[in-house]
């Protein structure tokens, strides 16, 4: 677990109480009160990625991809604010989700086309 100086942002040695860069006294805790949070995967980013992967198997007119994209997008915003990690996962989930939405739309248009072509014969 890395600690950083509250004053200049320099990396602190373990258990050091004085910053070697600027000489400021720093508490042993450092400024990373949310370190535990930061080390964990963001749950929305993880959920979004999983839902987007599922959407590749079960498209459901792009609705599963839509859910995955929304979860991933929200997760990405949270990760950007420092709430957990998983930026790459969130971006991947977002891209896969959007891909699934487009595929869903394409399928619907394709189906409509097929039905209208069939309608000529009846
Ligand atoms: Zn410093």
């Amino acid at each position: 677990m890395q600690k950083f100086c509250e004053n200049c942002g320099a990396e602190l040695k373990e258990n050091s109480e004085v910053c070697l860069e600027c000489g400021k006294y720093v508490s042993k805790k450092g400024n990373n009160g949310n370190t535990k949070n930061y080390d964990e995967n963001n749950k929305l980013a993880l959920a979004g990625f999983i839902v987007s992967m599922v959407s590749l198997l079960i498209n459901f007119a792009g609705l599963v991809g839509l859910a995955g994209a929304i979860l991933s997008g929200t997760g990405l915003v949270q990760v950007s604010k420092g709430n957990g990690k998983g930026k790459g996962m969130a971006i991947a989930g977002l891209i896969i989700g959007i891909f699934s939405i487009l595929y869903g739309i394409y399928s619907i248009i394709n189906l409509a086309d097929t039905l209208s072509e069939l309608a000529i014969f009846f």
Side-chain angles (χ1 to χ4, degrees):
M1 185 172 74
Q2 293 295 346
K3 282 177 267 184
F4 299 93
C5 173
E6 294 172 42
N7 189 44
C8 70
E11 195 174 302
L12 297 173
K13 291 204 168 150
E14 213 169 331
N15 293 327
S16 81
E17 298 190 3
V18 177
C19 174
L20 294 174
E21 291 295 320
C22 66
K24 187 188 191 314
Y25 174 84
V26 286
S27 64
K28 282 192 176 181
K29 198 175 144 229
N31 68 341
N32 278 348
N34 62 347
T35 301
K36 187 176 173 289
N37 234 358
Y38 186 77
D39 280 344
E40 287 174 358
N41 275 321
N42 183 278
K43 287 185 176 63
L44 280 177
L46 181 65
F49 181 72
I50 293 171
V51 171
S52 287
M53 291 303 283
V54 169
S55 77
L56 291 175
L57 300 172
I58 310 162
N59 189 276
F60 206 67
L63 289 177
V64 181
L66 181 65
I70 291 172
L71 285 170
S72 296
T74 312
L76 185 59
V77 171
Q78 289 191 355
V79 170
S80 310
K81 287 177 180 171
N83 186 359
K85 61 180 184 179
K87 191 174 186 179
M89 198 168 59
I91 293 172
L94 192 58
I95 292 171
I96 296 168
I98 290 170
F99 175 80
S100 283
I101 296 167
L102 294 177
Y103 183 79
I105 293 170
Y106 172 80
S107 301
I108 293 167
I109 293 171
N110 225 15
L111 182 67
D113 264 5
T114 307
L115 288 177
S116 65
E117 278 168 21
L118 284 174
I120 296 170
F121 297 102
F122 289 103

